[in-house]
């Protein structure tokens, strides 16, 4: 069978971040409850950043490293998102343009809340496996930003929503999927998927998020269990505790995956609390590290956790990583792949930790200014020129060319590279 | 199993998850949240209770209880339909 998986991978975690501990104090949140979130920082998208700038900035180093011949083999660009700003035009068209890709290419977008990145990845994997175009590559860009205007609490929409603010982040992961899986070789056919209709969290209006935090948490746990049960049906002898060197989770907040991991370890291998704690430190923490610094980047989060596990794990011997994705609404999937030392070295060349360190840390004053809305580009904006003097130090935070939104002209988004 | 017995199982697991509740005199209208259980704690208590009852239902079917008495009621009804 054709090998398949991730040839190259990179992230973009924005130009600005916020220390969420300071945010929690500023908002006078119950600090004992806040600690259970297990979050440290979150990326905050600035007005001149949007899902396109995030996605293109993540993908650019991957594409630039290809020879012209290799680049021409990218025959599919999928954007995976719940933050698109147009119901018809796919963001993949903008990404394709700004990355300078071949026109003989499929361009489209996928949605299923936080599952979108993995949905896009699996579609790319199946395209490669189908061998309808031998040697082709697919570029999957999972990109999402948070909306900060929560809808008013209603009967089913709970009071806990204030705790979404410290964990709602932004980020993008770009994955080049091909027959040369240097970074992550997929275990073909080892997929447990599980989905059903549930109204847990959603984006029911253009600039609003809504949700029932309790329902979402329980649905996540139901899916975590059932997707692995399906995986186990298809992979003889799969053992939750022994088959995977590391686990990567969709991470709405750290405490969530701590609960999910504890539940899985108790149910699948009847592990005791001390053993579960040690296992969490050893197999889950490497994948949690970056997620704790970016916040929930929705469709990009599971793959963000995968980059964190690859960067921070020990791959002296090749390791299998088990990945769990959950998207509200809902659909979920447990799948796995192999990572080698070479894969880790290739990913580390992207210097993801440095990217996170380089972000401009917003003061509470800057952050509150941002929320007041006068600077926000609302859904449906027809014409606007972005203020380049707003937090200008963020624009050079990365010390290299970074794409920003310059203006919107008759709904068309125009961007500029700034160094 | 009666609803009262299910109520007792829930409170037993609540004490396991939150040891400070050991000496608490549980009432039907106590809410786990008000007793200091965060959303993860509450999900643990529900999961442990389902395991004790050998009740295999999706966790999301236990949503909607406002207090421990109502949760016991929901679980009692589910256990009757098995």
């Amino acid at each position: 069978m054709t090998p398949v998986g991730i040839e190259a991978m990179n992230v973009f975690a924005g130009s600005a971040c916020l220390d969420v501990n300071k945010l929690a104090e500023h908002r006078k949140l119950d600090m004992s409850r806040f600690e259970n979130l297990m979050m440290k920082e979150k990326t905050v998208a600035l007005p001149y950043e949007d899902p396109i700038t995030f996605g293109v900035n993540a993908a650019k180093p991957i594409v630039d490293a290809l020879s012209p011949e290799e680049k021409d083999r990218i025959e599919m660009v999928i954007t995976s998102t719940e933050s698109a700003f147009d119901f018809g035009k796919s963001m993949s068209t903008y990404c394709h343009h700004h990355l300078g890709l071949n026109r003989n290419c499929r361009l489209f977008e996928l949605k299923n809340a936080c599952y979108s990145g993995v949905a896009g990845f699996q579609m790319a994997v199946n395209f490669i496996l189908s061998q309808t175009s031998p040697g082709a590559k697919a570029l999957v860009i999972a990109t999402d930003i948070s909306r900060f205007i929560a809808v008013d609490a209603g009967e089913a929409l709970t009071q806990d929503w204030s705790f979404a603010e410290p964990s709602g982040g932004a980020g993008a992961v770009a994955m080049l999927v091909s027959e040369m899986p240097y970074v992550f070789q997929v275990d073909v056919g080892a997929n447990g998927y599980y989905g059903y209709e549930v109204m847990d969290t959603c984006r029911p209006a253009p600039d609003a998020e809504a949700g029932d935090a309790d329902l979402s948490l329980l649905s996540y746990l139901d899916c975590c269990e059932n997707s692995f049960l399906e995986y186990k049906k298809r992979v003889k002898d799969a053992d939750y505790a022994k088959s995977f060197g590391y686990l990567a989770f969709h991470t709405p907040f750290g405490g969530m995956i701590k609960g999910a991991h504890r539940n899985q370890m108790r149910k699948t291998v009847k592990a005791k609390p001390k053993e579960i704690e040690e296992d969490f430190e050893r197999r889950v923490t490497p994948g949690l590290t970056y997620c704790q610094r970016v916040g929930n980047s929705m469709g990009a989060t599971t793959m963000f956790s995968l980059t964190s596990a690859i960067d921070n794990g020990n791959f002296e011997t090749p390791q299998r990583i088990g990945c769990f994705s959950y998207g509200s609404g809902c659909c979920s999937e447990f799948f796995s792949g192999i990572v080698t030392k070479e894969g880790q070295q290739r990913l580390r060349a992207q210097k993801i930790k440095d990217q996170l360190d380089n972000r401009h840390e917003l003061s509470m004053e800057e952050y509150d200014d941002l929320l007041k809305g006068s600077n926000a580009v609302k859904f449906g904006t027809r014409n606007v020129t972005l203020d380049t003097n707003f937090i200008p130090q963020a624009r050079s935070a990365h010390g290299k060319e970074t794409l920003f939104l310059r203006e919107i002209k008759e709904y068309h988004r125009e961007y500029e590279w700034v160094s | 199993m009666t609803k009262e017995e299910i109520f007792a199982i829930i409170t037993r697991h609540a004490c396991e998850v939150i040891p400070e509740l050991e000496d608490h005199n549980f009432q039907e209208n106590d809410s786990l949240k008000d007793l200091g259980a965060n959303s993860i704690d509450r999900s643990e208590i529900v999961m442990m209770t389902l395991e004790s009852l050998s009740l295999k239902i999706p966790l999301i079917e236990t949503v909607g209880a406002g207090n421990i008495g109502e949760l016991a009621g929901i679980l009692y009804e589910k256990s009757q339909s098995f």
Side-chain angles (χ1 to χ4, degrees):
Chain A
M1 188 184 285
T2 315
V4 63
I6 301 173
E7 177 181 328
M9 192 176 195
N10 187 31
V11 309
F12 187 75
S15 305
C17 66
L18 191 71
D19 179 325
V20 294
N21 206 49
K22 293 177 190 165
L23 173 68
E25 283 168 8
H26 182 62
R27 292 276 185 268
K28 298 187 172 48
L29 293 182
D30 175 346
M31 291 308 282
S32 63
R33 285 189 65 200
F34 171 75
E35 280 165 20
N36 290 324
L37 285 179
M38 295 173 66
M39 298 306 277
K40 294 175 180 163
E41 297 166 345
K42 69 167 187 167
T43 288
V44 179
L46 298 173
Y48 40 75
E49 293 185 302
D50 70 4
I52 304 292
T53 67
F54 272 79
V56 172
N57 287 323
K60 187 79 160 52
I62 296 177
V63 172
D64 285 353
L66 299 174
S67 68
E69 295 75 27
E70 289 171 322
K71 193 170 154 181
D72 277 350
R73 292 312 313 269
I74 297 177
E75 297 182 11
M76 184 148 89
V77 178
I78 307 176
T79 40
S80 298
T81 190
E82 58 178 272
S83 318
F85 43 78
D86 191 295
F87 294 121
K89 182 173 164 61
S90 157
M91 295 200 297
S92 63
T93 58
Y94 283 102
C95 294
H96 178 266
H97 171 73
H98 290 285
L99 294 168
L101 301 179
N102 174 12
R103 289 194 170 193
N104 298 114
C105 187
R106 291 185 175 126
L107 305 175
F108 61 101
E109 192 158 292
L110 277 183
K111 169 177 76 183
N112 198 74
C114 303
Y115 175 63
S116 69
V118 167
F121 175 63
Q122 297 297 349
M123 293 312 100
V125 164
N126 288 334
F127 168 55
I128 305 303
L129 284 174
S130 75
Q131 286 295 299
T132 47
S133 182
K137 302 177 194 293
L139 179 63
V140 181
I141 301 176
T143 180
D144 267 314
I145 60 174
S146 293
R147 308 256 198 260
F148 296 106
I149 314 157
V151 301
D152 296 337
E155 201 175 332
L157 304 175
T158 64
Q159 61 292 351
D160 276 0
W161 212 234
S162 62
F163 279 83
E165 192 192 7
S167 55
V173 178
M175 298 162 264
L176 187 65
V177 178
S178 78
E179 296 166 11
M180 295 178 291
Y182 300 132
V183 175
F184 180 81
Q185 177 164 357
V186 163
D187 292 326
V188 175
N191 307 73
Y193 21 85
Y194 189 77
Y196 50 89
E197 198 279 323
V198 62
M199 189 67 173
D200 53 345
T201 66
C202 53
R203 290 187 175 192
D207 291 305
E209 294 180 1
D212 178 332
D214 269 4
L215 180 61
S216 194
L217 187 147
L218 295 178
S219 185
Y220 181 107
L221 295 173
D222 278 333
C223 284
C224 198
E225 181 181 356
N226 285 291
S227 62
F228 183 70
L229 286 176
E230 183 58 28
Y231 177 95
K232 206 168 149 47
K233 264 190 210 164
R234 298 171 187 221
V235 183
K236 200 169 166 279
D237 302 328
D239 181 315
Y240 198 78
K242 297 196 183 115
S243 300
F244 313 100
Y246 296 99
L247 294 166
F249 284 81
H250 168 55
T251 308
F253 55 94
M256 172 80 244
I257 67 167
K258 185 145 199 179
H261 168 260
R262 187 163 51 215
N263 185 33
Q264 284 294 95
M265 289 297 286
R266 209 168 50 208
K267 282 198 165 155
T268 58
V269 295
K270 303 201 184 323
K272 297 277 177 279
K274 187 165 173 289
E275 189 188 335
I276 293 175
E277 188 65 37
E278 286 167 2
D279 189 73
F280 184 82
E281 279 302 315
R282 185 169 54 84
R283 292 198 301 156
V284 183
T285 305
L288 173 61
T289 311
Y290 293 161
C291 295
Q292 284 179 309
R293 300 191 56 193
V294 175
N296 186 1
S297 53
M298 282 65 75
T301 313
T302 308
M303 293 320 227
F304 231 112
S305 177
L306 178 62
T307 64
S308 185
I310 296 173
D311 258 7
N312 299 305
N314 179 345
F315 295 91
E316 289 306 323
T317 55
Q319 299 290 325
R320 173 165 283 113
I321 303 185
C323 305
F324 171 67
S325 172
Y326 171 81
S328 290
C330 70
C331 191
S332 67
E333 183 156 344
F334 188 92
F335 63 99
S336 61
I338 302 283
V339 176
T340 64
K341 185 76 187 165
E342 186 203 348
Q344 183 184 51
Q345 284 163 348
R346 281 174 179 262
L347 185 65
R348 279 187 176 172
Q350 305 291 356
K351 300 190 183 306
I352 296 176
K353 183 179 175 294
D354 291 352
Q355 288 192 45
L356 301 185
D357 292 344
N358 288 341
R359 293 170 301 174
H360 167 72
E361 187 188 333
L362 296 170
S363 66
M364 280 309 139
E365 195 184 354
E366 285 172 328
Y367 177 68
D368 279 341
D369 264 0
L370 196 58
L371 290 194
K372 278 175 196 149
S374 55
N375 281 304
V377 176
K378 293 204 167 53
F379 190 95
T381 297
R382 185 164 181 163
N383 288 294
V384 71
T385 301
L386 280 300
D387 178 5
T388 55
N389 292 319
F390 185 72
I391 315 182
Q393 56 276 46
R395 294 172 70 85
S396 54
H398 291 291
K400 63 171 190 179
E401 276 211 314
T402 308
L403 192 73
F404 292 112
L405 177 62
R406 188 182 65 221
E407 62 181 312
I408 302 177
K409 255 192 216 167
E410 288 301 292
Y411 300 117
H412 185 251
R413 295 199 173 209
E414 303 192 351
Y415 297 86
E416 61 186 335
W417 290 100
V418 174
S419 51
Chain B
M1 196 171 286
T2 66
K3 192 183 152 193
E4 288 68 32
E5 286 167 321
I6 293 175
F7 181 86
I9 291 171
I10 298 170
T11 58
R12 192 178 82 222
H13 291 311
C15 293
E16 283 168 33
V17 172
I18 306 172
E20 295 79 31
L21 294 176
E22 204 61 59
D23 299 321
H24 181 75
N25 180 21
F26 286 95
Q27 304 296 321
E28 289 232 336
N29 59 4
D30 278 343
S31 95
L32 287 169
K33 191 173 180 183
D34 293 343
L35 294 175
N38 64 38
S39 55
I40 300 281
D41 295 336
R42 298 198 293 277
S43 71
E44 297 253 302
I45 295 164
V46 170
M47 280 188 277
M48 291 161 95
T49 305
L50 292 176
E51 275 174 42
S52 295
L53 297 172
S54 298
L55 193 55
K56 287 197 166 52
I57 57 164
L59 290 169
I60 60 168
E61 290 185 13
T62 67
V63 164
N67 56 47
I68 302 178
E70 284 175 22
L71 179 59
I74 290 174
L75 298 182
Y76 174 73
E77 275 176 30
K78 299 282 179 192
S79 68
Q80 293 305 297
S81 57
F82 265 78

